[in-house]
């Protein structure tokens, strides 16, 4: 049973650029959610997808967008990067209601 | 405003010294409360899900309980390998998920 895989593991971008982060869900998981975690803080919920539809969103601006594909893998896109976007971005997948979430190891994004 | 508050922020215990971590929440329509363990540089590792007041779950030295306003993670006779940050999260009626800031637990040998 494979877990949640995120790529890349580390990334450095310049302010104003755009970035795409990728996530492969655990086999059979139809729900995926994305989080931003600043150093020393708990993860902040960005949004969640269930069967390719967004079904929950946190307090992030529209420049944070996402996709879920038919194989349940997912992307997080961030436009017009700001210095404060520097963080660990976590992806988590689940079988849905009644089940916990399995997290990936994250992508460390640094915006300079 | 919906909130999840964890206490204490940090806790140092001697090996074998039992204690409890607290997670208090104010959310609309709880659809589940989750406990995770996070080691430095890694993603959170799922421990438990609780759904209704009075529910309890156990795993090795950990036991999680839930009331209408808070959850406790009890650690019995901890070992140094239990050192980690423990995160609590709640899922609201609209599927938004809110994490607390975590409790950094350090078990001294």
């Amino acid at each position: 049973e494979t877990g949640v895989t995120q790529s890349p593991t580390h990334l450095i971008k310049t302010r104003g650029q755009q970035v795409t982060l990728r996530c492969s869900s655990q086999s059979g998981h139809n729900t995926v959610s994305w989080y931003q975690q600043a150093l020393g803080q708990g993860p902040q919920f960005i949004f969640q997808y269930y069967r390719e539809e967004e079904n929950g969103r946190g307090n992030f601006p529209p420049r944070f967008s996402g996709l879920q594909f038919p194989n349940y893998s997912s992307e997080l896109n961030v436009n017009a990067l700001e210095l404060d976007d520097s963080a660990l971005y976590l992806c988590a997948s689940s079988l849905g209601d009644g089940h916990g979430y399995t997290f990936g190891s994250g992508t460390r994004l640094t915006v300079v | 405003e919906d909130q999840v508050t964890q206490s204490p922020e940090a806790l140092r215990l001697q090996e074998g010294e039992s204690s409890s971590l607290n997670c208090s929440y104010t959310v609309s329509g709880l659809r589940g409360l989750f406990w995770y363990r996070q080691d430095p540089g890694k993603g959170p590792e799922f421990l438990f899900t609780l759904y209704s007041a009075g529910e309890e779950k156990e795993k090795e030295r950990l036991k999680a309980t839930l009331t209408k306003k808070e959850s406790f993670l009890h650690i019995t006779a901890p070992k140094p390998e239990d050192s980690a940050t423990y995160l609590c999260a709640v899922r609201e009626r609209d599927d938004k998920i809110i994490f607390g800031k975590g409790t950094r637990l350090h078990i001294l040998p």
Side-chain angles (χ1 to χ4, degrees), chain A residues 11-16 81-83 85-86 109-112:
Chain A
L11 195 57
I12 300 176
K13 287 285 192 178
T14 302
R15 187 173 51 183
L81 284 167
E82 301 176 359
L83 297 179
D85 294 333
S86 296
L109 173 65
T110 302
V111 182
V112 297

Side-chain angles (χ1 to χ4, degrees), chain B residues 61-103:
Chain B
R61 295 178 291 281
L62 300 176
K63 178 180 175 180
T65 61
L66 181 65
T67 72
K68 287 186 178 181
K69 295 295 183 185
E70 59 190 351
S71 177
F72 291 94
L73 183 65
H74 307 277
I75 301 177
T76 302
K79 298 181 178 181
E81 55 262 41
D82 294 322
S83 297
T85 296
Y86 289 84
L87 295 164
C88 168
V90 298
R91 186 178 181 185
E92 297 185 300
R93 183 182 294 119
D94 63 358
D95 283 327
K96 186 189 292 188
I97 299 169
I98 305 173
F99 273 84
K101 294 183 177 181
T103 293

Side-chain angles (χ1 to χ4, degrees), chain A residues 33 35 37 40-45 48 55-59 88 90 96-106, chain B residues 1 31 34 36 38 41-46 48-49 51 57 85 87 91 94-102 104:
Chain A
S33 52
Y35 302 82
Q37 187 175 26
Q41 301 293 315
Q44 297 292 309
F45 177 67
Q48 176 168 281
N55 74 338
R57 188 176 181 94
N59 298 324
L88 180 69
L90 294 163
D97 273 355
H99 297 86
Y101 287 77
T102 302
F103 279 80
S105 294
Chain B
E1 180 180 321
R31 291 186 61 193
F34 307 90
Y36 290 88
Q38 187 173 27
K42 296 188 176 181
E45 175 190 343
F46 173 72
F48 305 108
T49 308
Y51 291 99
K57 289 191 176 174
T85 296
L87 295 164
R91 186 178 181 185
D94 63 358
D95 283 327
K96 186 189 292 188
I97 299 169
I98 305 173
F99 273 84
K101 294 183 177 181
R104 296 188 308 280

Side-chain angles (χ1 to χ4, degrees), chain A residues 30-43:
Chain A
N30 54 26
T31 301
V32 66
S33 52
W34 285 91
Y35 302 82
Q36 179 193 70
Q37 187 175 26
L39 204 60
Q41 301 293 315

